[in-house]
Amino acid sequence: MKLASSNKVGLDAWVVGLILLGALLAVGVLDVYQLKLLGKVLIFWLIALGLQLLVAQAGVISLGHAAFMATGAYIAGLFSLQGQHDLILMLACVAVACAAFGSLMGALILRTQGLYQLMATLAIAQMAYYGFQSLRSLGGDDGFAVSSRPSVLGLITLNTDVKLLLAIIVILALGLYVAHRIRRSEMGALMLAVRDDGRRVASLGISPYGVKVWAFLISAVFTGIGGALFAQLTRFTSPQLGSWYMSGELIILVLLGGGKTRSGLFLAAVAVVGIQEGVARYTDHWPLVLGALVLARVLWPENLGALKKAATPGEQGKAS
């Protein structure tokens, strides 16, 4: 069993490497529209990595992660309004802000369970959504344009889509490595243990509540960074990035991609973006196609056991 698991991890790593190599080669030959699509796929993949840790690894489902995406996008937009700025500094500020927001949100919602927990994430995200809408100086409901793109250490200005895509690929590669290390670390093992039997973990003197808060924080940082990159890619940000609809799309990524492989999340991102951009050309009812795909994935024999555990009130909260 261990050998089979190790082989799967190794195969997934090879597939991920080939995907990143293919993305690097594609950057030099794609046109502007195709570069935008590729960038959107890669950003969704990055966000899904953090959500996979939360949903499949720790057993917590969130319908509020779009709030972190909007937070990252608005911080990126504010940096843009100041003119030239550094990408690393911007992402560091996004990470700190989303870590603080994520730890606060996680500390509140993880005191509930089941449907109440799900609705609590949605409620807090909607409050953040209406908060962004109320920012009249930043365009209110319409949002605002991200006029300038950052530089890297003041040496390379990411003023073209090609340069920005290369930066996104580098950040994604780092995110893939970090997510892999977390899954293989003691914290990753604790997330799995809390998901499966929180009471037993609590009997060892470890707080399941604390482990879940950390998982929530990590996923919030991944999502916030993805939101900041999305704002730079589209050169625009608005409260719609924080809507419940966007939160649903992010959960769909994990549903389609599965809870075990990183390459599966890439295929899910391709499917979601492909349906949005391809089917939408012919009909406004493209969400029906996406819904049918999600339904087929959920009804697949090897569906996500972790999602079932997360959706059913368990004993973990009592133990914490």
Side-chain angles (χ1 to χ4, degrees):
M1 292 292 291
K2 289 184 178 180
L3 181 60
S5 177
S6 178
N7 289 337
K8 288 182 179 179
V9 171
L11 177 61
D12 184 53
W14 274 102
V15 174
V16 166
L18 290 175
I19 293 171
L20 291 177
L21 179 60
L24 281 172
L25 296 176
V27 166
V29 298
L30 298 180
D31 60 30
V32 174
Y33 175 70
Q34 293 169 336
L35 284 173
K36 298 281 188 185
L37 292 184
L38 176 60
K40 188 175 182 180
V41 168
L42 297 180
I43 290 169
F44 272 10
W45 190 11
L46 176 65
I47 293 173
L49 289 170
L51 266 176
Q52 188 184 58
L53 288 172
L54 180 67
V55 177
Q57 193 86 357
V60 178
I61 299 180
S62 169
L63 273 179
H65 263 56
F68 305 121
M69 188 172 181
T71 298
Y74 268 79
I75 292 175
L78 289 173
F79 268 87
S80 173
L81 292 177
Q82 303 303 315
Q84 287 294 327
H85 56 282
D86 185 68
L87 177 68
I88 297 175
L89 176 61
M90 181 192 74
L91 294 182
C93 291
V94 169
V96 171
C98 289
F101 186 14
S103 59
L104 177 61
M105 185 173 173
L108 291 174
I109 67 100
L110 290 172
R111 295 188 178 278
T112 61
Q113 293 185 39
L115 183 61
Y116 297 103
Q117 186 178 97
L118 197 64
M119 297 308 295
T121 62
L122 180 59
I124 294 176
Q126 283 301 101
M127 287 191 288
Y129 169 73
Y130 288 116
F132 289 125
Q133 270 192 330
S134 67
L135 299 175
R136 300 303 176 190
S137 60
L138 295 177
D141 189 49
D142 295 327
F144 64 99
V146 178
S147 56
S148 65
R149 283 178 172 170
S151 61
V152 180
L153 300 176
L155 302 176
I156 305 173
T157 302
L158 307 178
N159 53 357
T160 66
D161 289 335
V162 171
K163 291 181 181 179
L164 181 63
L165 258 294
L166 291 175
I168 289 174
I169 292 172
V170 171
I171 294 168
L172 172 61
L174 181 60
L176 286 162
Y177 175 76
V178 170
H180 174 71
R181 295 301 302 170
I182 290 174
R183 288 176 69 96
R184 307 282 287 182
S185 68
E186 181 180 347
M187 176 57 69
L190 284 174
M191 289 179 191
L192 284 174
V194 167
R195 184 197 72 186
D196 294 335
D197 195 337
R199 177 171 292 182
R200 181 171 294 180
V201 173
S203 70
L204 299 175
I206 301 171
S207 170
Y209 173 77
V211 173
K212 288 185 176 183
V213 169
W214 270 106
F216 209 93
L217 183 156
I218 293 168
S219 65
V221 171
F222 271 79
T223 307
I225 291 175
L229 295 175
F230 191 83
Q232 295 291 342
L233 178 70
T234 61
R235 291 183 178 269
F236 189 78
T237 184
S238 76
Q240 298 305 316
L241 289 176
S243 67
W244 65 268
Y245 189 83
M246 179 61 74
S247 291
E249 282 190 21
L250 299 182
I251 287 296
I252 285 174
L253 288 173
V254 183
L255 275 168
L256 292 177
K260 296 180 180 179
T261 65
R262 294 166 292 169
S263 54
L265 296 177
F266 169 76
L267 296 177
V270 170
V272 170
V273 174
I275 290 173
Q276 286 178 342
E277 300 294 334
V279 180
R281 294 182 180 181
Y282 305 100
T283 175
D284 293 333
H285 303 296
W286 62 265
L288 291 176
V289 178
L290 184 59
L293 183 61
V294 172
L295 184 60
R297 178 64 181 91
V298 171
L299 295 178
W300 195 260
E302 298 179 0
N303 83 355
L304 297 177
L307 290 172
K308 289 183 179 179
K309 293 175 183 286
T312 305
E315 297 297 325
Q316 290 94 329
K318 298 177 182 178
S320 58

